Amino acid sequence: MDPKPLWLLAELTYKCPLQCPYCSNPLDFAGPRFRRELSTEEWCRVFREAKALGVLQLGLSGGEPTLRTDLEDLIREAHGLGLYTSLITSAYRLTKDRLAALKAAGLDHVQISIQGADADLSDAVAGTTSYRDKIAAYHYTRELGFPLTVNVVLHRRNLHQVEALIRLAESLGAERIELANTQFYGWALHNRDALMPTRAQLDDAWGVVQRERARLGTKLEIVWVLPDYHERYPKPCMGGWARSYMTVTPAGEVWPCHAAGRITTLRFENVREHPLEWIWEHSDAFTRFRGDAWMPEPCRSCPRKTQDFGGCRCQAFLVAGDAGLTDPVCSLSPHRPLIDAAVAEVESAAAAAEWTYRAAPASRVLAAKG
Amino acid sequence: MTAAGRPTVPRLHPKARLQHDDVRGRDVLLYPEGLVALNPTGAEIVGLCDGVRSLADVVAELEQRYGSTGLEPDVMAFLDGLAAKGLVTYGS
């Protein structure tokens, strides 16, 4: 049977008050490609088409999705369709009244990011004073009866806080904490030298995770997203290209993952011009790497190809220069030395590189460069 | 373990929702960042876990519907599997 999507990530806007240097949004988020945001009715049509296509899980993300004043209407539509809705937010200036309105509209689950375990580090990483709002919003979600996920992107500057972050999530009564080691796309790739952790940091943090998992059991689910540069084999990115997942960007382009738009050798279609079903079934972006007929060696004859699907197409494009190659993270890839060099750099460099905050002026400069 | 030895009212965790999947012709349990596909019996069991019926009530109802006996071990194993994922809790 042909695969049908289960997941839709709706990136409602790329506007965001936070400026996290690891943001997965495109570097040119403030450029012309993403300027004309979908209207309320256009999003509602996308949700209806997605449900008819097989989608059951809807992530409402951005940018900062609560900046959309029609968020309640969008959630009402999605909820009416039977989609399980997750709000993925920074919680900046998010009030209890707004959360209550979102709950009344049918929102199922709230995920709130935090950038560090204390205000100093969290605000320094976010580039915006936001820690206090986040802590308040965590409490609101619990008071309103939402299941809560605490999300933290991990990197060299905050990996030492993993234990404190887990304890924070526990004290807040969260269901889940996602400890997501930085994946190097978008702004994170731009800032890779400043974000790359050391092997010793990762080993320490992983030890903490194992210990805390044993202590907490089902009370708090601890999700550990692997730091793939430090692995021997690639991640099974998106569970395989165009098998279960799609992202719709603020201006309506449809991507097989939230980083894929950077692959300049693919043609992406827009929900303003085509039905979602046609895009899923027939567009170049979705069909090019579906299945395994596209695979080169060493993937083609590799027994792992049914587990990792050749890894990540975006990483192959960004690091090895061709989206149709084996993920360079794979130890069998001829391009693995490029990954090893990036990992080795942090181990040898004494001085920490500075990062560039994710912000519109920097984005416009990068967009102009192309 | 028999149903008598522990809190016996199974309840779907508030984070989980039973939903029909029209496209694939099945029921699923949806929860944050995941889903479990259910066979028709599984969906029926979950549908009976209303936080009021005891495990014994759920088993009795199923045995009556199916004209069968001795379903308790299977029902318990199924619900324990969901409990291990945090999707079902037991109360009294």
Side-chain angles (χ1 to χ4, degrees):
Chain A
M1 194 176 81
D2 286 343
K4 301 284 184 195
L6 277 168
W7 308 83
L8 174 68
L9 184 71
E11 295 185 328
L12 299 178
T13 179
Y14 282 146
K15 296 188 183 78
C16 187
L18 270 62
Q19 308 173 68
C20 309
Y22 51 72
C23 185
S24 62
N25 287 166
L27 285 170
D28 59 339
F29 74 85
R33 184 177 179 182
F34 306 107
R35 191 157 293 152
R36 200 160 66 88
E37 289 188 1
L38 296 180
S39 67
T40 309
E41 183 41 47
E42 284 172 320
W43 273 118
C44 288
R45 176 171 59 77
V46 168
F47 296 164
R48 289 193 294 272
E49 292 181 359
K51 179 68 184 359
L53 194 50
V55 166
L56 296 171
Q57 288 273 5
L58 174 65
L60 299 159
S61 181
E64 175 46 57
T66 60
L67 292 177
R68 288 281 303 219
T69 54
D70 58 354
L71 185 58
E72 286 83 342
D73 297 327
L74 300 181
I75 288 171
R76 201 171 292 113
E77 177 75 17
H79 180 71
L81 291 164
L83 297 171
Y84 193 96
T85 50
S86 294
L87 177 67
I88 300 160
T89 177
S90 72
Y92 183 75
R93 293 189 178 164
L94 184 55
T95 64
K96 190 172 181 181
D97 285 349
R98 185 84 194 277
L99 272 167
L102 299 175
K103 176 99 180 160
L107 180 62
D108 289 297
H109 163 228
V110 179
Q111 172 178 313
I112 301 176
S113 65
I114 200 159
Q115 283 66 35
D118 56 65
D120 284 348
L121 184 58
S122 188
D123 291 346
V125 173
T128 302
T129 301
S130 52
Y131 181 84
R132 208 173 54 176
D133 287 0
K134 291 167 184 289
I135 297 296
Y138 285 132
H139 289 291
Y140 301 151
T141 61
R142 302 309 295 157
E143 289 160 21
L144 291 164
F146 281 113
L148 170 64
T149 295
V150 174
N151 168 276
V152 197
V153 174
L154 299 174
H155 46 80
R156 187 160 82 236
R157 296 270 297 274
N158 68 2
L159 263 162
H160 64 286
Q161 289 195 332
V162 160
E163 181 160 7
L165 288 159
I166 293 170
R167 299 291 168 121
L168 176 65
E170 181 189 7
S171 74
L172 294 164
E175 261 79 22
R176 305 169 73 239
I177 180 168
E178 264 183 20
L179 299 169
N181 282 288
T182 301
Q183 310 289 305
F184 294 108
Y185 308 100
W187 292 79
L189 181 64
H190 188 69
N191 288 313
R192 190 173 66 181
D193 290 348
L195 296 166
M196 183 69 69
T198 65
R199 165 60 72 183
Q201 282 186 301
L202 289 167
D203 289 346
D204 286 350
W206 175 234
V208 170
V209 167
Q210 288 173 295
R211 198 175 67 231
E212 291 291 90
R213 276 183 178 161
R215 183 177 70 82
L216 289 159
T218 57
K219 186 179 165 198
L220 175 66
E221 181 189 358
I222 304 175
V223 180
W224 172 257
V225 177
L226 289 170
D228 65 347
Y229 273 46
H230 289 80
E231 302 293 317
R232 290 195 56 210
Y233 295 110
K235 60 198 168 200
C237 200
M238 313 317 290
W241 184 267
R243 283 184 81 226
S244 64
Y245 186 94
M246 59 203 321
T247 295
V248 177
T249 66
E253 274 186 49
V254 191
W255 299 349
C257 78
H258 54 275
R262 190 66 195 284
I263 301 177
T264 54
T265 49
L266 289 176
R267 180 184 159 86
F268 299 99
E269 305 297 343
N270 194 299
V271 294
R272 286 185 166 124
E273 279 133 40
H274 298 280
L276 208 55
E277 181 178 11
W278 184 89
I279 295 173
W280 175 264
E281 304 278 353
H282 302 295
S283 71
D284 174 48
F286 278 79
T287 55
R288 183 90 67 92
F289 301 117
R290 187 176 274 148
D292 61 11
W294 60 273
M295 284 183 185
E297 294 293 356
C299 292
R300 181 178 288 275
S301 59
C302 181
R304 294 183 58 89
K305 72 178 176 185
T306 55
Q307 292 168 51
D308 62 29
F309 311 104
C312 172
R313 301 302 85 229
C314 302
Q315 199 138 269
F317 179 80
L318 293 168
V319 176
D322 180 347
L325 294 174
T326 296
D327 187 334
V329 155
C330 184
S331 52
L332 303 171
S333 161
H335 295 91
R336 174 71 203 195
L338 296 169
I339 298 291
D340 290 333
V343 168
E345 201 155 323
V346 60
E347 302 286 351
S348 59
E354 289 300 307
W355 57 42
T356 306
Y357 282 107
R358 175 237 195 251
S363 173
R364 282 191 284 271
V365 171
L366 290 162
K369 280 188 194 162
Chain B
M1 188 189 281
T2 66
R6 62 181 189 184
T8 56
V9 179
R11 182 193 301 267
L12 200 56
H13 192 283
K15 72 183 173 187
R17 203 176 74 215
L18 184 61
Q19 175 73 37
H20 188 64
D21 178 356
D22 304 317
V23 170
R24 298 168 190 84
R26 63 181 186 182
D27 288 302
V28 293
L29 261 188
L30 299 173
Y31 55 93
E33 308 294 328
L35 64 103
V36 175
L38 301 172
N39 63 25
T41 319
E44 213 166 349
I45 296 171
V46 169
L48 289 169
C49 294
D50 55 7
V52 176
R53 287 183 175 90
S54 68
L55 182 59
D57 295 337
V58 171
V59 170
E61 176 68 30
L62 286 166
E63 289 180 346
Q64 191 183 340
R65 286 186 194 178
Y66 288 95
S68 172
T69 57
L71 295 184
E72 186 180 287
D74 288 345
V75 174
M76 278 179 68
F78 172 75
L79 290 175
D80 284 352
L82 294 179
K85 291 177 184 289
L87 301 176
V88 162
T89 57
Y90 293 103
S92 45

